[in-house]
Amino acid sequence: INTLEPIWIYSTGDDTDATIVLEETEDGVFLYTGNEIDHRRQSAASNLRKLNALTGELVWQHDVPCVYDPVLAAGMLSTPLVGKDDIADLVIFNISKTTSYTAGLLLALDKETGDVVWERPLAAHSWSSPIAIKGDDGRSYGIFADSAGVMHLFDPRNGENYSTLSIGANCESSPAAYDDMIVVGTYAQKIYGIRIS
Protein backbone atom coordinates (compact mmCIF):
# COMPACT_ATOMS: atom_id res chain seq x y z
CA ILE A 1 0.00 0.00 0.00
CA ASN A 2 2.99 2.32 0.51
CA THR A 3 4.64 1.70 -2.87
CA LEU A 4 1.64 0.61 -5.00
CA GLU A 5 3.76 -2.22 -6.36
CA PRO A 6 1.99 -5.57 -6.98
CA ILE A 7 2.61 -8.24 -4.36
CA TRP A 8 0.90 -11.00 -6.34
CA ILE A 9 -1.17 -11.41 -9.51
CA TYR A 10 -3.61 -14.20 -10.30
CA SER A 11 -4.78 -14.82 -13.88
CA THR A 12 -8.55 -15.48 -13.79
CA GLY A 13 -8.95 -16.47 -17.46
CA ASP A 14 -11.85 -14.09 -18.13
CA ASP A 15 -13.66 -11.02 -16.81
CA THR A 16 -14.37 -10.69 -13.11
CA ASP A 17 -17.35 -8.36 -12.71
CA ALA A 18 -18.64 -9.63 -9.36
CA THR A 19 -17.24 -8.05 -6.21
CA ILE A 20 -14.53 -10.15 -4.59
CA VAL A 21 -15.34 -10.99 -0.96
CA LEU A 22 -12.65 -11.01 1.74
CA GLU A 23 -12.88 -13.13 4.87
CA GLU A 24 -10.50 -12.96 7.82
CA THR A 25 -10.32 -16.18 9.82
CA GLU A 26 -8.09 -17.77 12.46
CA ASP A 27 -6.44 -19.72 9.62
CA GLY A 28 -5.69 -16.67 7.49
CA VAL A 29 -7.25 -14.12 5.17
CA PHE A 30 -9.04 -15.42 2.07
CA LEU A 31 -10.80 -14.17 -1.04
CA TYR A 32 -13.85 -15.70 -2.75
CA THR A 33 -14.26 -14.88 -6.42
CA GLY A 34 -15.44 -16.21 -9.76
CA ASN A 35 -15.24 -15.26 -13.41
CA GLU A 36 -17.71 -14.98 -16.25
CA ILE A 37 -17.87 -16.34 -19.78
CA ASP A 38 -17.11 -13.37 -22.01
CA HIS A 39 -13.67 -12.99 -23.62
CA ARG A 40 -13.31 -16.74 -24.17
CA ARG A 41 -16.16 -16.41 -26.71
CA GLN A 42 -17.27 -20.00 -26.30
CA SER A 43 -19.18 -22.11 -23.81
CA ALA A 44 -16.85 -22.80 -20.91
CA ALA A 45 -16.76 -23.13 -17.14
CA SER A 46 -17.21 -20.32 -14.67
CA ASN A 47 -14.33 -20.85 -12.24
CA LEU A 48 -15.31 -20.31 -8.61
CA ARG A 49 -12.23 -19.84 -6.46
CA LYS A 50 -10.92 -19.37 -2.96
CA LEU A 51 -7.55 -17.59 -2.83
CA ASN A 52 -5.11 -16.82 -0.07
CA ALA A 53 -5.41 -13.03 0.13
CA LEU A 54 -1.82 -12.53 1.29
CA THR A 55 -0.06 -14.78 -1.24
CA GLY A 56 -2.49 -15.19 -4.15
CA GLU A 57 -2.24 -18.97 -3.78
CA LEU A 58 -5.25 -20.95 -5.03
CA VAL A 59 -6.87 -22.80 -2.12
CA TRP A 60 -9.58 -24.49 -4.23
CA GLN A 61 -11.50 -24.13 -7.47
CA HIS A 62 -14.94 -25.37 -8.48
CA ASP A 63 -15.99 -25.19 -12.14
CA VAL A 64 -19.57 -24.69 -13.35
CA PRO A 65 -20.20 -25.22 -17.10
CA CYS A 66 -21.99 -22.27 -18.76
CA VAL A 67 -23.43 -21.40 -22.16
CA TYR A 68 -21.70 -18.57 -24.05
CA ASP A 69 -24.01 -15.70 -24.98
CA PRO A 70 -22.51 -13.05 -27.30
CA VAL A 71 -25.09 -10.48 -26.14
CA LEU A 72 -24.93 -10.82 -22.33
CA ALA A 73 -22.13 -12.58 -20.49
CA ALA A 74 -22.71 -15.83 -18.59
CA GLY A 75 -21.08 -17.18 -15.45
CA MET A 76 -20.68 -15.44 -12.11
CA LEU A 77 -21.91 -11.86 -12.22
CA SER A 78 -23.15 -11.63 -8.62
CA THR A 79 -21.20 -11.31 -5.41
CA PRO A 80 -20.92 -14.57 -3.43
CA LEU A 81 -22.57 -14.82 -0.02
CA VAL A 82 -19.92 -15.73 2.54
CA GLY A 83 -21.77 -17.35 5.41
CA LYS A 84 -21.38 -16.60 9.10
CA ASP A 85 -22.94 -17.78 12.35
CA ASP A 86 -25.15 -20.83 11.61
CA ILE A 87 -23.97 -20.96 7.97
CA ALA A 88 -20.33 -20.14 8.69
CA ASP A 89 -19.15 -23.23 6.80
CA LEU A 90 -20.78 -22.17 3.50
CA VAL A 91 -20.14 -19.80 0.62
CA ILE A 92 -23.10 -19.43 -1.76
CA PHE A 93 -22.66 -18.61 -5.45
CA ASN A 94 -25.24 -17.53 -8.05
CA ILE A 95 -24.26 -18.55 -11.61
CA SER A 96 -26.08 -17.46 -14.78
CA LYS A 97 -26.72 -19.23 -18.09
CA THR A 98 -25.63 -22.68 -17.02
CA THR A 99 -27.56 -25.13 -19.23
CA SER A 100 -29.27 -22.56 -21.48
CA TYR A 101 -29.51 -18.81 -22.07
CA THR A 102 -32.25 -18.59 -19.44
CA ALA A 103 -31.19 -21.14 -16.81
CA GLY A 104 -29.01 -20.62 -13.76
CA LEU A 105 -27.61 -22.36 -10.72
CA LEU A 106 -27.54 -21.42 -7.05
CA LEU A 107 -25.03 -23.51 -5.13
CA ALA A 108 -23.32 -23.69 -1.77
CA LEU A 109 -19.72 -24.82 -1.40
CA ASP A 110 -17.91 -25.88 1.74
CA LYS A 111 -15.51 -23.05 2.63
CA GLU A 112 -12.71 -25.40 3.64
CA THR A 113 -12.79 -27.89 0.78
CA GLY A 114 -14.72 -26.27 -2.08
CA ASP A 115 -16.96 -29.37 -2.20
CA VAL A 116 -20.60 -28.94 -3.22
CA VAL A 117 -22.93 -28.97 -0.20
CA TRP A 118 -26.06 -28.37 -2.32
CA GLU A 119 -27.04 -27.25 -5.81
CA ARG A 120 -30.30 -25.71 -6.93
CA PRO A 121 -31.05 -25.29 -10.66
CA LEU A 122 -32.84 -22.03 -11.49
CA ALA A 123 -35.36 -21.78 -14.33
CA ALA A 124 -34.53 -18.06 -14.57
CA HIS A 125 -30.88 -17.12 -14.24
CA SER A 126 -29.87 -14.41 -11.83
CA TRP A 127 -27.32 -11.61 -11.47
CA SER A 128 -28.69 -10.57 -8.09
CA SER A 129 -26.22 -11.15 -5.26
CA PRO A 130 -27.69 -13.36 -2.53
CA ILE A 131 -27.77 -11.91 0.98
CA ALA A 132 -28.49 -13.41 4.40
CA ILE A 133 -30.67 -12.00 7.16
CA LYS A 134 -31.08 -13.25 10.71
CA GLY A 135 -34.55 -14.23 11.92
CA ASP A 136 -35.96 -13.83 15.40
CA ASP A 137 -35.34 -17.56 15.77
CA GLY A 138 -31.59 -16.99 15.36
CA ARG A 139 -31.46 -18.74 12.00
CA SER A 140 -30.10 -17.31 8.76
CA TYR A 141 -32.41 -16.82 5.78
CA GLY A 142 -31.24 -16.19 2.21
CA ILE A 143 -32.70 -13.72 -0.29
CA PHE A 144 -32.04 -13.12 -3.99
CA ALA A 145 -33.99 -12.06 -7.07
CA ASP A 146 -33.90 -13.40 -10.63
CA SER A 147 -34.25 -12.36 -14.27
CA ALA A 148 -37.93 -13.37 -14.31
CA GLY A 149 -38.69 -10.76 -11.65
CA VAL A 150 -39.12 -13.14 -8.74
CA MET A 151 -37.66 -12.60 -5.29
CA HIS A 152 -36.76 -15.76 -3.40
CA LEU A 153 -36.65 -16.25 0.37
CA PHE A 154 -34.66 -19.47 0.77
CA ASP A 155 -33.02 -21.75 3.30
CA PRO A 156 -29.23 -21.30 2.95
CA ARG A 157 -28.66 -24.75 4.48
CA ASN A 158 -30.24 -26.54 1.49
CA GLY A 159 -31.25 -23.91 -1.12
CA GLU A 160 -34.97 -24.62 -0.92
CA ASN A 161 -37.47 -21.76 -1.10
CA TYR A 162 -39.59 -20.72 1.85
CA SER A 163 -41.47 -18.20 -0.26
CA THR A 164 -41.38 -16.21 -3.51
CA LEU A 165 -42.77 -12.83 -4.56
CA SER A 166 -43.17 -11.25 -7.99
CA ILE A 167 -41.36 -7.89 -8.24
CA GLY A 168 -42.52 -7.18 -11.77
CA ALA A 169 -39.44 -7.51 -13.96
CA ASN A 170 -35.82 -8.60 -14.21
CA CYS A 171 -33.83 -7.71 -11.11
CA GLU A 172 -30.06 -7.33 -11.49
CA SER A 173 -29.58 -5.45 -8.23
CA SER A 174 -28.67 -6.90 -4.87
CA PRO A 175 -31.29 -6.69 -2.13
CA ALA A 176 -30.55 -4.38 0.78
CA ALA A 177 -31.75 -5.41 4.23
CA TYR A 178 -32.52 -3.50 7.41
CA ASP A 179 -34.19 -5.36 10.26
CA ASP A 180 -37.22 -7.03 8.60
CA MET A 181 -37.28 -4.75 5.52
CA ILE A 182 -35.84 -5.72 2.13
CA VAL A 183 -35.37 -3.02 -0.54
CA VAL A 184 -34.58 -3.77 -4.18
CA GLY A 185 -34.82 -2.05 -7.57
CA THR A 186 -35.93 -3.72 -10.81
CA TYR A 187 -36.36 -3.29 -14.57
CA ALA A 188 -40.00 -2.46 -13.74
CA GLN A 189 -38.66 1.05 -12.97
CA LYS A 190 -39.73 0.66 -9.37
CA ILE A 191 -38.03 0.30 -6.03
CA TYR A 192 -39.74 -2.21 -3.76
CA GLY A 193 -39.79 -2.22 0.03
CA ILE A 194 -40.72 -5.72 1.20
CA ARG A 195 -41.34 -6.67 4.80
CA ILE A 196 -40.23 -10.15 5.84
CA SER A 197 -42.28 -11.86 8.54
Side-chain angles (χ1 to χ4, degrees):
I1 197 169
N2 295 318
T3 64
L4 298 182
E5 293 182 14
I7 302 301
W8 58 263
I9 298 171
Y10 189 94
S11 178
T12 63
D14 213 320
D15 281 357
T16 302
D17 283 1
T19 303
I20 298 169
V21 181
L22 182 144
E23 182 181 39
E24 185 175 358
T25 73
E26 293 181 357
D27 298 323
V29 184
F30 301 98
L31 303 172
Y32 298 93
T33 183
N35 59 9
E36 60 190 66
I37 316 302
D38 187 3
H39 292 293
R40 286 175 276 183
R41 305 207 180 282
Q42 61 183 356
S43 295
S46 177
N47 313 116
L48 315 181
R49 297 180 173 112
K50 179 180 181 178
L51 302 173
N52 184 310
L54 302 182
T55 66
E57 176 187 5
L58 178 67
V59 178
W60 52 251
Q61 176 174 314
H62 180 78
D63 297 335
V64 178
C66 295
V67 175
Y68 172 66
D69 182 347
V71 179
L72 294 169
M76 190 177 114
L77 289 100
S78 63
T79 302
L81 167 57
V82 177
K84 59 183 181 179
D85 300 327
D86 58 325
I87 55 170
D89 57 325
L90 302 180
V91 55
I92 299 173
F93 294 89
N94 196 355
I95 311 301
S96 69
K97 303 183 182 181
T98 49
T99 56
S100 72
Y101 290 144
T102 57
L105 183 71
L106 190 69
L107 72 159
L109 302 182
D110 183 282
K111 283 185 186 177
E112 293 296 319
T113 65
D115 293 337
V116 175
V117 176
W118 55 259
E119 289 184 335
R120 175 185 164 188
L122 302 174
H125 69 83
S126 172
W127 301 310
S128 175
S129 302
I131 65 167
I133 60 172
K134 186 64 66 74
D136 291 338
D137 57 3
R139 295 176 55 193
S140 294
Y141 294 82
I143 299 170
F144 76 98
D146 65 29
S147 58
V150 176
M151 178 171 281
H152 302 259
L153 177 67
F154 71 97
D155 184 346
R157 295 298 322 169
N158 58 32
E160 296 179 6
N161 273 345
Y162 289 114
S163 181
T164 61
L165 177 70
S166 174
I167 49 176
N170 180 15
C171 178
E172 294 183 4
S173 64
S174 306
Y178 180 76
D179 287 337
D180 61 350
M181 180 66 72
I182 306 299
V183 180
V184 70
T186 77
Y187 274 33
Q189 302 178 29
K190 297 176 182 177
I191 297 174
Y192 288 86
I194 301 160
R195 195 171 302 281
I196 304 295
S197 61

